[in-house]
Structures are given as structure tokens and as C-alpha cells.
Amino acid sequence: MKRRGVLSEEELVIVQKNRTDEEAFEEFFKDCYLRNLRPSTINYYKNEFHAAKKIIPKQLVDWEQADIESLIFQSKELMTITSINTRLRALRAFYNFLVSRKFLKKNPMKNIKLLRDRQKEIETLDNHEIEKLIKVIRKQRTFVSFRDEVIMLVFLDTGIRLSELTGIRMEDVRGNKIIVRLTKNLFERTVYLSEFTQEQLERYIQIRGNLSTEKLFVNRDNHELNRHSIQTRFQKYGKEAGISKRVSPHSFRHTMAKRMIMMGVDAFSLMTLLGHSDMTITKKYVNLWGTDIEMKHKKHGALKGLKL
């Protein structure tokens, strides 16, 4: 029988060299570095790939759709829907890259969708809870407690992320403005301080003094402050203040977003202040607090005061 000129799909598999995960990872992470992704994003990918292979002990380059489905079924016993979707996003980025570079022919994620999750209520802090936190912090009367008060005020005033706050340098503070450089989407932005926060920040800078580090917020040893320390301290303050809600940099961010929406700030301006890359999450905030907006409309609707 005469042979065909073109090899079949099955024959091509035999001829082609088998790729390894090590080769695939090398290409994928080289691309991540070239695109200047944040170290935390690169570590997120590495951790998720490692964890996925622990559940399905097989090279990722050999995975098929059935393996992804098996991963989802097994993960449901171990993880939340949010965590599963986080892992699926990492795998999607990996396989999309490999297929685009012709490293793989088939994308096992092609027909896989993220899992639907119930919309959870986003907790925010009310006036009374914020005031209780301030009281607890001020009781200590130390450099660290005053620093923490200023950090909390900056969080509430600007809605910046924890990673953005720890990246602020002395030169980034300019009166009632802070230039945020270490952003999630790599675009610098300007956030604004209220008069009270500006005054407290200026007092903190005066007490801080001139140090070898250029980072704005420092620990008691005058070294750069780490993220974990901030999270731990605010959890502690929350317990001391008797607040059952989670007290964290992210809850301050949500609180700022809600208060801005309640004051009538438009979604586009809020998106810019929060550093969202698109309107999706900002719209989510607006929809979540729609009842509050409805009450505001009843009080301040455009037809109020008109004799019609």
C-alpha cells in the first residue's frame, strides 16, 4: 500500500518530541517576566500549578479535559468555590499560552467554565465601628499605635490595597495627594487625602524622622513594614474593639467604596480611585448597595423641591 504524503494526527504524536512540564514552565515564566508581571502573580501561578499536580499526579502538559473535570470534583471536597476558580484561572492562563505558542495542540481548558458561586455580602464598617477602632488604637499611646491610626485613615480615605500601601515611599506623599506606584495593573495613580488624614500623616512623618529606608511606613525598629504585620495588628484591634466583622485592609477598601457611592460619587471616578482595570468590580459595588442608593434617591431625587 502506498503511503500518504502527510502524517496523520496519531503519527504526528509519535514523531513529535514529548514536551515536559519543566520546558513548559520555563517558557511560560519567561513570558511572565518579559511582561513584567508582579512577583506575587508569578508566585501565585507557581503555587497553583504545584497544588494542582498534587491532586492530579500527572504532568500538566499531558492533562486533558477529563483531568480538569476530575480536579474540580476532587477540589469541591477540599476548597471553596472561590479558591477553585482561582486555580482554574491560573491553569487557563497556562494552557492559553502553551496553545498560542504551539507548545500544545489541544487546550484542555477550552470547554471548562468557572464555577458559579453565590454572591456573598461584602462586609463594611459603620461609623460606630470605625470610632471604636480609633479609640482602641489611641489607648496605647505608642509610635506603633499612632502609625496604625494613620494607616487606617489612609486606607479609609483612599481605598488603596495593602500591597500598594506598603509600597509608598516618602517622596510619594505630596500634600493632600499620594502617588501610588506599586499597583496591581502597573498603572500609577493618584489618591487624595481628607484634611484630617493629611494633618495626621504630617504628624506621623514628623515623628518618624529621617531614616535609612525611604518607605513611608516603618516598624518599631525603623525598618520597612511588612504586610503580614499590618493584617495581624488590625485583626487584634478588631477583637479588642468587640467587632464581630472582619477588620482588615480589604474591609477598609470596601468601606471606602460604599461610603463614596453613598455620597454620590460616579462609578467611573470610583473605578479610577480604586485602581480597577475595568468597571466590572466597581459595578458590583454599586449593585450591592443599590438599596442604600434607592434611599438616597428618595431623599435627594432630582424632582425634590419642584412644584409640579
Side-chain angles (χ1 to χ4, degrees), residues 36 254 269 303 308:
N36 199 30
H254 292 150
S269 297
L303 298 183
L308 301 176

Side-chain angles (χ1 to χ4, degrees), residues 27-43 45 97 101 181-188:
E27 292 299 315
F28 178 75
F29 289 117
K30 184 169 76 175
D31 180 70
C32 289
Y33 287 118
L34 289 172
R35 289 189 287 131
N36 199 30
L37 296 189
R38 294 188 307 164
S40 58
T41 302
I42 293 172
N43 286 334
Y45 285 136
F97 170 80
R101 295 297 175 90
R181 301 186 191 279
L182 296 181
T183 62
K184 192 173 181 180
N185 58 15
L186 301 180
F187 291 106
E188 289 184 7

Side-chain angles (χ1 to χ4, degrees), residues 43-53 83 86-87 90:
N43 286 334
Y44 147 66
Y45 285 136
K46 288 179 178 177
N47 292 336
E48 294 300 338
F49 299 158
H50 177 71
K53 287 179 72 171
S83 297
T86 298
R87 185 155 300 161

Side-chain angles (χ1 to χ4, degrees), residues 51-111:
K53 287 179 72 171
K54 282 183 111 177
I55 296 175
I56 309 292
K58 179 179 172 182
Q59 288 217 104
L60 290 181
V61 291
D62 295 329
W63 278 29
E64 299 175 351
Q65 181 173 321
D67 295 305
I68 304 285
E69 291 169 349
S70 178
L71 174 78
I72 293 170
F73 285 127
Q74 292 186 55
S75 296
K76 279 188 173 182
E77 303 296 319
L78 309 166
M79 302 159 62
T80 64
I81 298 299
T82 301
S83 297
I84 295 172
N85 284 337
T86 298
R87 185 155 300 161
L88 291 178
R89 287 189 184 95
L91 291 170
R92 177 176 289 167
F94 180 61
Y95 287 119
N96 284 347
F97 170 80
L98 295 184
V99 170
S100 71
R101 295 297 175 90
K102 298 186 167 44
F103 207 94
L104 288 181
K105 283 204 162 188
K106 282 187 176 180
N107 188 339
M109 284 291 297
K110 183 180 178 182
N111 299 316

Side-chain angles (χ1 to χ4, degrees), residues 261 267 270-271 276 278-290:
I261 290 169
L270 184 60
M271 180 186 83
H276 291 155
D278 61 55
M279 194 70 80
T280 308
I281 299 175
T282 317
K283 282 181 178 175
K284 178 181 167 185
Y285 287 151
V286 174
N287 291 336
L288 274 172
W289 298 308

